[in-house]
């Protein structure tokens, strides 16, 4: 892109130092200094603070865009540009302009919420494929399309990488993109420049209070997704208004995006009501009230287990109907959804006498949901194994212990990703949440040993819930990232005890 074209497209950007020619071009835009090439435009985030000057000085890039908060001297052989906005918030729109605005040529469905984002994107993509649509996924488990699976390291990638992914998807023939929109990604502007066709909200419970100052900021950050949904007759939002935080979230969206069409799931809304739920270890079923236009009361059966998957499949079903997909084939597809990595992922002993469940539940609400869902399937014994991540929100640790102690027959405490915290100190914080006199079945920081112990002590007809890491195939101890897969350890443990 020519430098003068950038100034025309973004009038707020001004050149404040450095000499340039009228035909001068830069190649791309970046917010991550590790990915910079010499001819890139470096959008220096306001969050870089005082370190920003050093980043700018020693950056390999010739072009530096700074915000008004940063005071920077003239830099030799560099062109410095300035904006009154946070430069990070402009990286997405600039990258989109360079790449030909790829999201405008795709149907991008954004999914936000504390829990359920990954499940929803995978369910929606499977439903889309069942309709003959070419679909892509961007989220916690990586980027997936056309048989390609890659890891970005983030739920919502940085703005430049995100626009590049969307361009690659469009070039490969993808039509629908189902994308997790995290509160971090939305608040930091990573999704700026993305044209969303649909916004979907699952729920809002405590998480990420190490990043957000309070729950109000957390809610408002997630509501930014719906502000990004362009207002036209084909766009809409889907909100589970009966979910935790649902009513407040709906009010926020109605206030900030008053012209947006909203489909609301829940008895409180009187629009799409769920009733007559039934659960077993083989399937989940329920009735959903639809408008006469969509066929009225409809029976849904799915192989995905648990009460939270009632909400997930119902949200996906309403979204799919809103997209105009054929109802009968959707109902058929819901009966055989492939297992979602690390989400109520079941592992049986060879004789099917015992089972283990791997789930990403790493918040109080998610842990409660998965435990109640397993209880609905009536195991003869339920052992819960979990830990909490280090260098993250400490306030949820005792809350998760309280939930595990109340809803499990026995509890095993172990490490999640302790990072730079002392693993034993994390377990101390967790253990404070147990009721007086309660002791866990085992306290063991070695997660592999803890899983082996849990499997070896599991009674016939029992279930071991291994919570917290889900799809992750690594463990972070100190600053070392090591291979670790809960599913692999469960299989080893079953084999070692001959089950």
């Amino acid at each position: 892109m020519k430098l003068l074209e950038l100034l025309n497209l973004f009038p707020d950007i001004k050149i404040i130092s450095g000499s340039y020619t009228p035909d001068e071009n830069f190649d791309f835009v970046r917010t991550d200094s590790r990915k910079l090439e010499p001819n890139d435009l470096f959008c220096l985030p306001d969050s870089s603070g005082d370190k920003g000057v050093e980043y700018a000085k020693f950056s390999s890039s010739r072009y530096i865009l700074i915000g008004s908060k940063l005071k920077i001297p003239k830099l030799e052989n560099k062109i410095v540009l300035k904006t009154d906005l946070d430069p990070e918030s402009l990286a997405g729109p600039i990258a989109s302009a360079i790449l030909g605005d790829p999201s405008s040529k795709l149907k991008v469905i954004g999914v936000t919420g504390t829990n359920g984002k990954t499940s929803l994107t995978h369910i929606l993509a499977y439903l889309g494929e069942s309709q003959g649509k070419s679909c892509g996924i961007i989220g916690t488990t990586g980027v997936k399309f056309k048989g390609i699976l890659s890891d970005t390291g983030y739920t919502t990638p940085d703005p430049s990488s995100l626009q590049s992914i969307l361009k690659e998807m469009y070039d490969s023939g993808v039509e629908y993109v189902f994308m997790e929109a995290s509160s971090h990604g939305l608040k930091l502007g990573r999704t700026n420049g993305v044209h969303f066709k649909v916004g979907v909200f699952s729920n809002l419970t405590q998480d990420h209070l190490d990043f957000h100052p309070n729950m109000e900021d957390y809610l408002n950050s997630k509501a930014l997704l719906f502000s990004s949904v362009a207002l036209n007759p084909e766009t809409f939002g889907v909100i589970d208004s009966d979910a935790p935080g649902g009513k407040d979230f709906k009010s926020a969206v109605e206030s900030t995006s008053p012209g947006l069409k909203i489909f609301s799931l829940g008895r409180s809304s009187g629009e799409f009501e769920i009733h007559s739920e039934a659960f077993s270890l083989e399937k989940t079923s329920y009735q959903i009230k639809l408008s006469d236009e969509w066929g009225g009361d409809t029976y849904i059966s799915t192989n995905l287990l648990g009460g939270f998957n009632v909400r997930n499949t119902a949200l996906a079903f309403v979204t799919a109907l809103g997209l105009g997909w054929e109802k009968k084939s959707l109902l058929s597809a819901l009966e055989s959804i492939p297992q979602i990595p690390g989400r109520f992922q079941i592992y049986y002993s060879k004789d099917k006498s015992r089972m283990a469940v791997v789930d990403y539940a790493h918040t109080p609400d998610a842990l409660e949901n998965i435990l109640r869902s397993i209880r609905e399937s009536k195991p003869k014994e339920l052992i819960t194994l979990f830990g909490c991540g280090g260098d993250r929100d400490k306030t949820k640790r005792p809350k998760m212990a309280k939930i595990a102690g109340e809803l499990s027959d026995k509890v095993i405490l172990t490490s999640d990703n302790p990072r730079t915290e002392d693993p034993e100190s994390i377990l101390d914080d967790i253990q404070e949440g147990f009721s007086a006199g309660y002791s866990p079945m085992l306290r063991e920081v070695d997660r592999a040993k803890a899983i082996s112990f849990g499997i070896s002590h599991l009674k016939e007809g029992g279930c071991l819930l291994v919570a917290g890491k889900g799809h992750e195939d690594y463990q972070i101890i100190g600053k070392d990232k090591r291979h670790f897969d809960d599913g692999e350890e469960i299989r080893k443990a079953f084999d070692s005890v001959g089950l």
Side-chain angles (χ1 to χ4, degrees):
M1 173 179 279
K2 288 186 177 182
L3 203 56
L4 294 181
E5 184 183 355
L6 173 72
L7 301 181
N8 288 331
L9 286 174
F10 301 91
D12 180 66
I13 297 176
K14 311 292 183 187
I15 296 175
I16 60 172
S17 69
S19 58
Y20 61 95
T21 66
D23 293 328
E24 186 135 7
N25 286 280
F26 64 95
D27 294 335
F28 201 46
V29 58
R30 293 288 181 190
T31 57
D32 187 340
S33 60
R34 296 167 297 181
K35 298 180 180 179
L36 277 174
E37 298 292 338
N39 212 47
D40 285 342
L41 172 66
F42 184 19
C43 288
L44 195 63
D46 279 348
S47 59
S48 62
D50 294 337
K51 291 182 179 179
V53 175
E54 297 303 308
Y55 288 148
K57 281 182 180 178
F58 298 106
S59 157
S60 62
S61 178
R62 169 168 162 75
Y63 307 96
I64 311 289
L65 177 60
I66 64 171
S68 56
K69 295 179 181 179
L70 187 64
K71 306 301 179 186
I72 195 166
K74 288 186 178 181
L75 300 175
E76 189 176 350
N77 299 322
K78 294 185 185 295
I79 295 173
V80 180
L81 304 95
K82 194 170 187 177
T83 173
D84 289 332
L85 304 173
D86 184 343
E88 188 171 26
S89 71
L90 291 175
I94 294 170
S96 177
I98 293 170
L99 296 172
D101 203 12
S103 66
S104 68
K105 304 164 188 174
L106 295 160
K107 297 178 178 69
V108 184
I109 291 81
V111 180
T112 198
T114 306
N115 303 307
K117 297 187 296 296
T118 299
S119 293
L120 271 165
T121 54
H122 279 75
I123 294 167
L124 282 163
Y126 180 72
L127 294 181
E129 297 287 354
S130 77
Q131 300 272 316
K133 314 295 184 184
S134 179
C135 300
I137 294 172
I138 302 173
T140 308
T141 59
V143 175
K144 183 178 180 181
F145 66 101
K146 297 289 186 180
I148 301 169
L149 179 62
S150 58
D151 182 25
T152 68
Y154 297 95
T155 296
T156 307
D158 70 81
S160 304
S161 298
L162 177 56
Q163 292 295 332
S164 296
I165 291 165
L166 293 170
K167 175 70 161 59
E168 190 176 355
M169 285 183 169
Y170 173 73
D171 289 344
S172 70
V174 169
E175 183 181 2
Y176 288 86
V177 178
F178 301 99
M179 173 182 161
E180 295 182 48
S182 69
S183 60
H184 290 69
L186 289 161
K187 184 175 181 178
L188 294 173
R190 293 177 191 163
T191 60
N192 290 7
V194 178
H195 301 274
F196 289 99
K197 181 180 178 66
V198 181
V200 183
F201 167 81
S202 59
N203 51 62
L204 189 83
T205 59
Q206 181 180 328
D207 200 10
H208 303 308
L209 293 185
D210 52 326
F211 175 76
H212 297 283
N214 50 52
M215 288 297 291
E216 182 181 7
D217 182 76
Y218 185 32
L219 183 150
N220 290 334
S221 296
K222 287 193 172 293
L224 290 171
L225 169 64
F226 286 69
S227 301
S228 301
V229 177
L231 295 181
N232 66 58
E234 293 185 349
T235 60
F236 60 94
V238 182
I239 295 175
D240 187 345
S241 56
D242 275 0
K247 291 177 184 175
D248 290 339
F249 189 86
K250 186 181 178 188
S251 295
V253 170
E254 288 172 342
S255 174
T256 56
S257 306
L260 182 64
K261 179 169 61 177
I262 298 291
F263 296 132
S264 188
L265 182 71
R267 291 185 175 90
S268 60
S269 70
E271 190 172 5
F272 297 99
E273 295 183 31
I274 292 170
H275 60 92
S276 305
E277 297 102 323
F279 306 97
S280 73
L281 281 174
E282 287 75 42
K283 69 175 185 177
T284 301
S285 63
Y286 58 95
Q287 297 275 349
I288 183 169
K289 172 189 167 186
L290 302 176
S291 65
D292 291 339
E293 176 190 359
W294 287 350
D297 215 32
T298 298
Y299 173 80
I300 291 178
S301 176
T302 179
N303 62 310
L304 296 182
L305 306 182
F308 61 91
N309 274 321
V310 170
R311 316 304 299 184
N312 288 336
T313 53
L315 280 169
F317 184 56
V318 170
T319 302
L321 291 176
L323 290 168
W325 295 353
E326 200 270 325
K327 180 181 175 182
K328 185 177 179 181
S329 61
L330 289 173
L331 293 172
S332 177
L334 284 168
E335 294 179 356
S336 57
I337 298 170
Q339 279 209 86
I340 300 161
R343 272 66 179 174
F344 211 131
Q345 193 164 359
I346 298 174
Y347 296 83
Y348 289 104
S349 59
K350 290 177 183 176
D351 62 0
K352 296 291 182 75
S353 64
R354 296 160 179 82
M355 64 182 278
V357 172
V358 171
D359 194 88
Y360 191 49
H362 61 284
T363 66
D365 180 65
L367 184 61
E368 181 175 352
N369 284 340
I370 187 67
L371 283 169
R372 291 192 183 281
S373 292
I374 294 173
R375 280 289 182 206
E376 288 164 347
S377 302
K378 297 181 173 55
K380 292 182 180 178
E381 177 187 53
L382 175 53
I383 301 174
T384 298
L385 180 153
F386 80 103
C388 290
D391 304 328
R392 298 293 187 270
D393 179 13
K394 294 184 178 183
T395 65
K396 68 182 181 181
R397 294 173 183 174
K399 295 177 183 178
M400 292 180 71
K402 183 175 187 296
I403 291 165
E406 291 176 352
L407 296 179
S408 313
D409 295 310
K410 299 171 184 175
V411 176
I412 296 172
L413 294 185
T414 190
S415 294
D416 191 292
N417 291 318
R419 300 183 177 88
T420 63
E421 279 194 70
D422 174 21
E424 291 288 358
S425 177
I426 295 172
L427 298 192
D428 288 341
D429 289 344
I430 296 171
Q431 200 153 342
E432 287 180 5
F434 290 128
S435 58
Y438 184 95
S439 295
M441 181 185 188
L442 176 71
R443 173 172 161 152
E444 171 58 69
V445 296
D446 186 315
R447 194 172 177 94
K449 289 181 180 178
I451 290 173
S452 179
F453 180 90
I455 292 292
S456 66
H457 286 76
L458 193 60
K459 295 178 182 177
E460 185 173 350
C463 175
L464 173 69
L465 169 63
V466 181
K469 291 180 58 57
H471 65 282
E472 293 178 352
D473 61 358
Y474 60 85
Q475 191 173 28
I476 304 173
I477 300 174
K479 295 186 177 180
D480 185 22
K481 189 174 184 179
R482 310 172 185 177
H483 176 77
F484 191 94
D485 186 297
D486 283 346
E488 289 178 6
E489 296 302 323
I490 288 168
R491 291 192 190 97
K492 287 180 191 175
F494 274 135
D495 287 342
S496 69
V497 295
L499 292 172

